[in-house]
Amino acid sequence: MTFDEVIGQKEVQSRLMQMVSEGRLPHALMLCGPQGAGKLALAIGFARMLLSRTDNDRAMLEKLEHPDLHFTYPTIKLPSMSSDHKPVSEDFAREWHELVMAGPYFTMTEWLEQMGGENQQAIITAGESDSLVRKLSLKSSQGGYKISLIWLPERMNIECANKILKLLEEPPSQTLFIMVCQEPDRLLETIRSRVQRIDVKKIADEDIEQTLTQRRGLSTDVAHRIARMANGSWLKALEMLSADSENELFLDMFQTLMRLAYQRKVKDLKAWSERMASMGREREKRFLEYFLRLIRENFMYNFQQPDIVYMTQREEDFARNFARFVNEANILPISELANRAIRDIGQNANGKIVFFDFALQMIVLLIQK
């Protein structure tokens, strides 16, 4: 992945290049922005540019196997690991390499599936920070930078975060840290204060549309519709291209919830909540984020302004009869309910309880006018 392959984000690319040309590249950068904006793609492209000094460098970087490029990412504990083992990135190096080489636009759920632990919470352990200290204490094998690329540093546990903080305070020579962060507020303030933050905005609709037509061969009309609905996320654009898109499942679950809540079928809502709870925490959170988007779109649908509504044809077909149930009286309480559920799921609350309570409260909220 080079800068030429990054979708849009020319402004960030120019800023990074300017830092290098003016000789003011800090020892630690943090690329922050929404999912699907291309933060990891930018980080890898920038790392490749900095490490490409010789033909040998470029050959190794083409396969992302350069000895001075160190990847750190959240991991899980497999049943085969001993009880005292702290998982490290090297335990999943093959899986990571396969996923990144397929393309640097992917979700945490895809990474969990790649590791074989979809229902687990992936973290960066203290064992990883110890491993990184050892790697970065060595001299650069090629005489240039040593680059530590950390994907989702907000998933570091507190022990790991404190050790990484020490590394940032006393960085090894010729070392550059590039953090790819989605939720910077979850990081220690002391870490945030020691990195130079660069905010990566959503991808412009025009860039997504152009990529869909040039790389995917879509017609202009189809590419335009998908680009608008992707809302600046290449991942969402890819989801809509997928025949077995997760969004189709989420729409079915959304429709089922609303119909059962309207009909006050408590027993069926309990079955619905159990099905939701079986999906795994990451997918549960994604459903709730999808739920929030569709609630917003149904509310906006009532204003009969097509330019401010972003829905697929199936979503719009359902909205035609359902949208009137989302109004000024309940839009905020429904949104607060979903956001609270996202928080609870993220804090390892029991999914069956969270979703059953969620479903029961929807019975009340849908009748508010």
Side-chain angles (χ1 to χ4, degrees), residues 7-8 202-214 223-224 227-228 232:
I7 299 168
K202 294 178 180 180
I203 306 172
D205 287 357
E206 314 85 79
D207 292 323
I208 293 180
E209 184 175 337
Q210 184 180 47
T211 304
L212 288 171
T213 55
Q214 293 181 352
H224 180 69
R228 287 183 74 240

Side-chain angles (χ1 to χ4, degrees), residues 300-351:
M300 300 305 291
Y301 185 86
N302 292 313
F303 294 96
Q304 300 298 311
Q305 297 288 330
D307 291 343
I308 61 174
V309 176
Y310 301 84
M311 287 191 281
T312 65
Q313 192 61 57
R314 274 196 68 204
E315 291 169 347
E316 192 170 333
D317 290 343
F318 183 69
R320 195 167 293 118
N321 293 318
F322 172 72
R324 69 181 186 274
F325 293 100
V326 184
N327 51 59
E328 292 86 348
N330 62 18
I331 178 72
L332 291 179
I334 291 175
S335 298
E336 289 168 3
L337 177 65
N339 280 312
R340 187 163 63 249
I342 291 172
R343 182 203 63 196
D344 291 343
I345 293 297
Q347 294 177 349
N348 293 325
N350 185 300

Side-chain angles (χ1 to χ4, degrees), residues 119 250 275-289 342 345 349-352 355:
N119 292 326
F250 287 169
R275 184 182 176 194
M276 279 300 315
S278 69
M279 290 187 177
R281 295 189 183 278
E282 295 298 328
R283 179 170 282 184
E284 289 164 12
K285 287 190 286 187
R286 286 204 311 281
F287 167 77
L288 290 165
E289 289 163 358
I342 291 172
I345 293 297
N350 185 300
K352 291 182 182 180
F355 282 106

Side-chain angles (χ1 to χ4, degrees), residues 62-227:
E62 191 68 31
K63 299 178 181 179
L64 293 182
E65 294 176 346
H66 197 286
D68 293 325
L69 176 58
H70 306 287
F71 287 104
T72 291
Y73 35 82
T75 57
I76 59 173
K77 192 158 190 172
L78 297 174
S80 58
M81 296 176 176
S82 64
S83 58
D84 60 343
H85 178 69
K86 297 177 181 178
V88 295
S89 296
E90 286 181 352
D91 293 333
F92 299 93
R94 178 181 60 81
E95 291 84 355
W96 174 261
H97 187 261
E98 288 176 357
L99 189 60
V100 175
M101 287 299 292
Y105 294 85
F106 53 84
T107 65
M108 171 53 70
T109 299
E110 290 174 287
W111 173 228
L112 284 169
E113 290 173 351
Q114 185 81 355
M115 288 189 289
E118 186 177 0
N119 292 326
Q120 294 194 48
Q121 291 274 64
I123 63 168
I124 302 176
T125 68
E128 177 64 29
S129 54
D130 293 337
S131 174
L132 196 56
V133 168
R134 289 193 297 272
K135 292 174 184 176
L136 298 180
S137 66
L138 303 174
K139 287 186 177 180
S140 165
S141 67
Q142 304 299 306
Y145 276 108
K146 292 173 291 181
I147 295 181
S148 170
L149 199 162
I150 305 176
W151 184 58
L152 303 184
E154 61 266 38
R155 286 183 176 251
M156 294 187 291
N157 65 20
I158 190 64
E159 188 180 356
C160 175
N162 284 323
K163 291 183 178 181
I164 293 295
L165 173 61
K166 189 173 181 181
L167 266 180
L168 293 173
E169 290 174 334
E170 302 173 10
S173 63
Q174 288 185 292
T175 298
L176 171 65
F177 293 90
I178 306 177
M179 296 185 177
V180 176
C181 188
Q182 197 163 300
E183 300 176 272
D185 290 344
R186 289 177 55 189
L187 275 172
L188 293 177
E189 171 59 32
T190 44
I191 288 181
R192 297 202 303 268
S193 67
R194 284 167 175 76
V195 301
Q196 181 164 335
R197 173 171 171 166
I198 296 178
D199 288 313
V200 181
K201 300 176 183 177
K202 294 178 180 180
I203 306 172
D205 287 357
E206 314 85 79
D207 292 323
I208 293 180
E209 184 175 337
Q210 184 180 47
T211 304
L212 288 171
T213 55
Q214 293 181 352
R215 299 187 192 177
R216 302 283 171 157
L218 299 186
S219 68
T220 302
D221 289 344
V222 173
H224 180 69
R225 183 180 181 89
I226 290 177

Side-chain angles (χ1 to χ4, degrees), residues 18-29:
Q18 188 175 4
M19 286 180 178
V20 176
S21 63
E22 294 178 356
R24 53 183 182 85
L25 187 63
H27 74 279
L29 292 169

Side-chain angles (χ1 to χ4, degrees), residues 46-64:
F46 188 49
R48 287 188 61 172
M49 188 204 76
L50 292 173
L51 294 173
S52 294
R53 306 173 71 208
T54 66
D55 288 342
N56 188 42
D57 285 329
R58 285 183 278 277
M60 290 187 289
L61 288 166
E62 191 68 31
K63 299 178 181 179
L64 293 182

